[in-house]
Amino acid sequence: MEFLPTLWFVIIAVFWSGYLFLEGFDLGVGMLMKLLARNERQRRVLLNTIGPVWDGNEVWLITAGAATFAAFPMWYASLFSALYVPLVLVLVALIFRAVAFEYRGKAHRQSSRNAWDWAISLGSFTAAFGVGAMLALTTTGLPLDANGDRVGGAFAWLNGYAVLGGLAVVAFALVHALAFVGLKTDGELRQRARHLIGRWLPAALLPMAAWAVLVVVPTGKPAALTLLGIAVIGGVAGWLANRSGAEGWSFAWSGIFLLGGVSSIFVAVFPVVLPSTLDAAFDLTVANASSSPYTLGLMSIIAAFGIPLVLLYQGWTYWVFRRRVSEHHIPASHHVTPVV
């Protein structure tokens, strides 16, 4: 197996893992706007926990898509054309969500704020479900012919694996967000988040665990099975850490569950990047779907400088906004007269 295609498969897997880890709690907090917060001040607390970081988290999604386009154009073309409908819905959901973040604070009526809250919540749910469905189908297969084209109608992709992947990311995002809220807030929201994690975490992690088991176990790869075991340890340790009140460790172990599970899936499917459910001979692999060695080499040089800078900047951002937010930090709503 050639080195550069394998390297970029690993880098893209890291991008998707980073997106699910960071945007996971971000989307989860968006859904919690209608599930956890009980009043206007609590909703503003939730928004303030992700306000400085949500747009930076979405960079990982853009980078993962761009890296796939450049490093594996056949993978990108087949995946995005076969999943055109769900990916358009994800894009629309992210647009509504971003607009709602900006316009909610400018609404004067409570009814308008409620409408933007629904846009945030439903947009977060749709984006999480769509991304989960896409990643699940990337690892379980799509009806592709020898040219990498989808066989069937616009909804040929809709099956049990898509639903399982969507539910897996939605459920994980919710408990990951609860762990983040417990870490970043104080007062009633913090206590309720801890209570809900202790109650729902085992059930919420089951869909993602089922997805990983369905993909990993049939391959029998020792490395994938080891990573799956690490994911199980992370889930159990996160639940125990939450019970003991160690919110930082609860959030960290939640991330280890995700990273272990997603890594086990990528290791299990390698070297296939997009399986065909019609014939294994039509599978796209790191060998037959990759760009030229020159393109991959140039991308590697750029990534060697760009990726560390992105990591340093995002790490600095989280450090600057590391303090907890509580209701007494939120001023009462008031009208502001524009200067112009």
Side-chain angles (χ1 to χ4, degrees), residues 16 61 76 78-94 127 130-131 133-135 157:
W16 280 115
L61 175 63
Y76 179 93
S78 296
L79 181 66
F80 278 66
S81 60
L83 300 179
Y84 189 82
V85 171
L87 290 178
V88 167
L89 292 176
V90 168
L91 178 61
V92 172
L94 290 175
V131 168
M134 181 198 70
L135 290 176
W157 56 272

Side-chain angles (χ1 to χ4, degrees), residues 51-281:
V53 298
W54 70 267
D55 46 356
N57 294 342
E58 289 188 355
V59 169
W60 290 80
L61 175 63
I62 298 169
T63 307
T68 304
F69 171 77
F72 300 98
M74 283 293 293
W75 180 11
Y76 179 93
S78 296
L79 181 66
F80 278 66
S81 60
L83 300 179
Y84 189 82
V85 171
L87 290 178
V88 167
L89 292 176
V90 168
L91 178 61
V92 172
L94 290 175
I95 291 173
F96 268 91
R97 183 171 176 267
V99 170
F101 281 138
E102 297 299 328
Y103 278 85
R104 186 190 187 280
K106 298 174 175 61
H108 296 316
R109 297 191 301 271
Q110 186 59 44
S111 59
S112 299
R113 285 194 287 266
N114 287 336
W116 290 122
D117 289 341
W118 278 112
I120 294 171
S121 186
L122 294 177
S124 299
F125 171 83
T126 303
F129 189 93
V131 168
M134 181 198 70
L135 290 176
L137 293 170
T138 302
T139 57
T140 58
L142 287 164
L144 303 177
D145 62 16
N147 295 321
D149 298 326
R150 183 192 67 216
V151 175
F155 293 93
W157 56 272
L158 186 57
N159 57 32
Y161 290 118
V163 175
L164 177 62
L167 292 177
V169 173
V170 167
F172 171 78
L174 284 171
V175 293
H176 196 43
L178 287 171
F180 180 75
V181 170
L183 179 65
K184 284 288 294 178
T185 66
D186 209 351
E188 182 184 352
L189 282 175
R190 179 184 181 185
Q191 299 304 320
R192 290 177 60 211
R194 284 182 54 190
H195 171 74
L196 290 173
I197 292 176
R199 185 174 182 179
W200 293 108
L201 185 141
L205 297 185
L206 280 179
M208 186 166 286
W211 170 20
V213 168
L214 287 172
V215 174
V216 171
V217 172
T219 68
K221 293 183 178 180
L225 292 171
T226 300
L227 290 167
L228 185 59
I230 292 174
V232 173
I233 293 172
V236 174
W239 185 72
L240 294 175
N242 178 75
R243 289 194 62 182
S244 65
E247 289 127 340
W249 281 108
S250 177
F251 181 73
W253 282 114
S254 173
I256 290 173
F257 166 84
L258 170 79
L259 298 178
V262 172
S263 299
S264 71
I265 292 171
F266 277 106
V267 169
V269 300
F270 180 84
V272 177
V273 296
L274 187 57
S276 171
T277 57
L278 301 181
D279 190 330

